[in-house]
Amino acid sequence: MPGLEDLYREIILDHYRNPRNRGELDCPPALRVEGFNPLCGDEIVLYIKVEGDKVSDLKVGGQGCSISQSSASMMSAAVKGRSVAEVRSLIRTFKSMMSIHEAHLDAGGGDGEDDDGAGALDPSTIGDLGDLAALQGVVKFPVRIKCATLSWNTLAEGLDQAGGAAG
Amino acid sequence: MTSTTAAAGTGPALQPRAREGQLDVARIKADFPVLGRQVYGRRLVFLDSAASSQRPRAVLEAMDQYYETTHANVHRGVYAIAEEATRRYEEARAKVARFIGAGSASEVVFTKNVTEAINLVAQTWGRRHLGPGDAVLLTEMEHHANLVPWLMLAEERGLELRYLPVGEDYLLDLSDLERLLDGVKLVGITLVSNVLGTINPVAQVAEAAHGAGALVLGDGAQYTPHITTRVRELGCDFFGFTGHKMLGPTGIGCLWARRELLEEMPPFLGGGEMISDVRLDGFSTNEVPWKFEAGTPPIAEAVGLGAAIDYLSAIGLDAVRAHEVALTSYALRSLADRHGDDLRIFGPADVALRGGVLSLAYKDVHAHDLSQVLDQSGVCVRAGHHCAKPLMRRLGVPATARASFYLYNDEADVDALGEALAEAGKLFF
């Protein structure tokens, strides 16, 4: 059985205790997006500023557990200043890391091929995630996966909205 | 005919589990197979009975025995085991009727759970009697099961929904009751809050409601498993409870209503069993309670619920309640001694006014994290909004961790909770 040390890595607790990029941005020009985890009541508020093809700034509000809050904190640090395309790619990589568990279960009868667009994670790309790789242990606690992915799904929705507004 | 019901579900409970009102918890624990298992090499400390209780061997054996010896569809076959199945199903209904103080078994409708019982009332009685301008009075501490069916009906029919507020003392604030009741046709109220543990003064509210011409629906999900239920003395007109929170199986609950209300209400789901005649151009309904039981009902589950009632009755609900009052009192005292201001408990301080449900906030540890750390100690608590989001907003927290007690819990379980809380504190601070 997985232990707590798999879940609560020191770096996760650090981001939980000292969350990066907490706050708000003026809307507009920034976009405000909310995400909810209906199971536990966690909520995340993202303020996303897209300039040109870049996510120039990102602030995080809301409340939730250590996993949802640290994931949002690490995400904010990882995506700030990156191009929208890079951010979208990072979202895909992170979400596929969070689906390792399902891929592993499926692998019992086959080759572990993933069935959606996210695709199974190529282990070599975990390195691209930096600190975020610390959240890998979450997949051993399936109930908590939604905590880890809450901010990422919210970010993806925000980028879709920003894209729509720009286009 | 064989005596299939002779001792089903009652055998092990014949030995005393309570003496002079004191529960023999060690012996009771031994009746519940799952409580003998370990997780992470630790003893299972089950503190989530408010979500769903565990089952004693007597219930499991009664259901197995029913399937092994008796099963056939009810109210249909003209052969021995079909008649036995029907008899056992209806015996279970009679046990329920006695257990909750119903006037007769015909007032007891088997449903899937309380949620279905409340939806049944909303969709049958509610649709017939409630229209634009009518008001329904609920409370801020209702479970979603007693909110959403009325929100749905309000949307469809243009009803006004009002709410009795929860005071700072975690009790219902009745100071404005008279005014709130003006124009109200139905009051929906939980007997015990699944978040706060608060026992509501339902008889008092019912008296006022009846004076204002309103009917009363009581949600007994957290009450009937723990406190002797007498639906008529409570002043309820409709009352729901569920089997799986009181040692019975999942998939069976009950709606009780006064006979004349059931007679007058239109049917809920359509299908077999609920009809007396079907033509290609219409149908007529069966008598109550079968009018509300479309399709093959949960027969083995009814048998299991009957066995759970036998088990609880042999111990006595007054003894169960006394045990839970003592244990809750111990928990409030010992947890406060150990954790002081680090621990907040959302609920009445007076154990006479509350059930054994403790909603906790520990330091700033989120309920999810708390529950996760407690799990490593084998301690099972519920974390989240407990299907009572409006109440959580009222309390100003996104979630709480909730420990809840039942007859198989003891002071060692409370101590394990206290110890596990300290572990959580060490990890996050």
Side-chain angles (χ1 to χ4, degrees), chain A residues 76-152:
Chain A
S76 70
V79 306
K80 223 168 120 171
R82 288 221 184 157
S83 76
V84 171
E86 283 172 328
V87 172
R88 284 193 186 278
S89 162
L90 194 62
I91 293 172
R92 274 195 300 276
T93 306
F94 183 80
K95 288 187 68 175
S96 59
M97 178 173 84
M98 285 296 126
S99 63
I100 283 174
H101 185 76
E102 284 83 354
H104 180 71
L105 286 181
D106 292 344
D111 56 7
E113 199 174 14
D114 215 5
D115 59 353
D116 66 18
L121 180 69
D122 174 355
S124 66
T125 63
I126 290 182
D128 301 344
L129 290 168
D131 287 358
L132 286 162
L135 283 163
Q136 210 178 346
V138 174
V139 295
K140 294 178 187 167
F141 299 83
V143 182
R144 306 299 295 276
I145 291 174
K146 279 193 189 316
C147 309
T149 54
L150 175 63
S151 55
W152 296 82

Side-chain angles (χ1 to χ4, degrees), chain B residues 346-375:
Chain B
F346 302 93
D350 182 353
V351 290
L353 300 176
R354 55 145 52 247
V357 171
L358 301 188
S359 265
L360 315 166
Y362 184 69
K363 295 187 177 176
D364 284 332
V365 184
H366 188 277
H368 257 181
D369 293 315
L370 202 53
S371 174
Q372 191 90 60
V373 179
L374 264 50
D375 173 54

Side-chain angles (χ1 to χ4, degrees), chain B residues 44-124:
Chain B
L44 187 72
V45 178
F46 189 76
L47 297 176
D48 197 19
S49 296
S52 193
S53 71
Q54 298 297 346
R55 286 115 203 84
R57 207 170 274 109
V59 168
L60 306 175
E61 285 173 355
M63 293 176 73
D64 276 354
Q65 188 261 8
Y66 165 78
Y67 274 128
E68 285 168 7
T69 63
T70 310
H71 177 69
N73 215 333
V74 293
H75 298 301
R76 288 165 179 76
V78 185
Y79 46 85
I81 63 169
E83 283 168 7
E84 279 176 35
T86 302
R87 181 167 52 76
R88 297 197 58 186
Y89 180 64
E90 295 302 331
E91 273 174 5
R93 194 191 308 275
K95 282 180 188 177
V96 168
R98 283 193 295 275
F99 192 68
I100 62 172
S104 87
S106 66
E107 295 181 334
V108 173
V109 177
F110 281 128
T111 61
K112 188 167 66 177
N113 44 37
V114 184
T115 301
E116 189 181 88
I118 296 173
N119 276 275
L120 192 163
V121 176
Q123 293 298 317
T124 63

Side-chain angles (χ1 to χ4, degrees), chain B residues 6-200:
Chain B
T10 57
L14 292 175
Q15 293 166 23
R17 263 62 177 163
R19 277 184 205 281
E20 292 166 10
Q22 285 275 99
L23 299 196
D24 183 344
V25 179
R27 184 165 238 167
I28 289 169
K29 272 186 192 286
D31 289 335
F32 291 74
V34 73
L35 298 181
R37 76 163 279 186
Q38 297 198 327
V39 288
Y40 311 103
R42 308 284 284 268
R43 175 175 79 85
L44 187 72
V45 178
F46 189 76
L47 297 176
D48 197 19
S49 296
S52 193
S53 71
Q54 298 297 346
R55 286 115 203 84
R57 207 170 274 109
V59 168
L60 306 175
E61 285 173 355
M63 293 176 73
D64 276 354
Q65 188 261 8
Y66 165 78
Y67 274 128
E68 285 168 7
T69 63
T70 310
H71 177 69
N73 215 333
V74 293
H75 298 301
R76 288 165 179 76
V78 185
Y79 46 85
I81 63 169
E83 283 168 7
E84 279 176 35
T86 302
R87 181 167 52 76
R88 297 197 58 186
Y89 180 64
E90 295 302 331
E91 273 174 5
R93 194 191 308 275
K95 282 180 188 177
V96 168
R98 283 193 295 275
F99 192 68
I100 62 172
S104 87
S106 66
E107 295 181 334
V108 173
V109 177
F110 281 128
T111 61
K112 188 167 66 177
N113 44 37
V114 184
T115 301
E116 189 181 88
I118 296 173
N119 276 275
L120 192 163
V121 176
Q123 293 298 317
T124 63
W125 183 88
R127 284 180 130 186
R128 175 160 287 183
H129 293 283
L130 301 176
D134 288 333
V136 171
L137 177 63
L138 304 167
T139 84
E140 281 184 346
M141 63 168 86
E142 295 310 304
H143 186 282
H144 293 167
N146 203 19
L147 290 173
V148 182
W150 305 111
L151 289 165
M152 287 164 64
L153 198 64
E155 204 167 86
E156 180 189 315
R157 291 290 164 107
L159 310 179
E160 180 196 349
L161 299 186
R162 298 177 194 163
Y163 298 93
L164 273 170
V166 177
E168 294 300 315
D169 51 6
Y170 304 107
L171 304 177
L172 282 182
D173 177 357
L174 301 182
S175 55
D176 222 9
L177 179 61
E178 298 271 315
R179 191 186 61 79
L180 284 168
L181 277 172
D182 185 38
V184 163
K185 289 211 170 156
L186 181 80
V187 176
I189 180 170
T190 185
L191 281 86
V192 175
S193 163
N194 69 314
V195 175
L196 306 171
T198 308
I199 299 173
N200 287 323

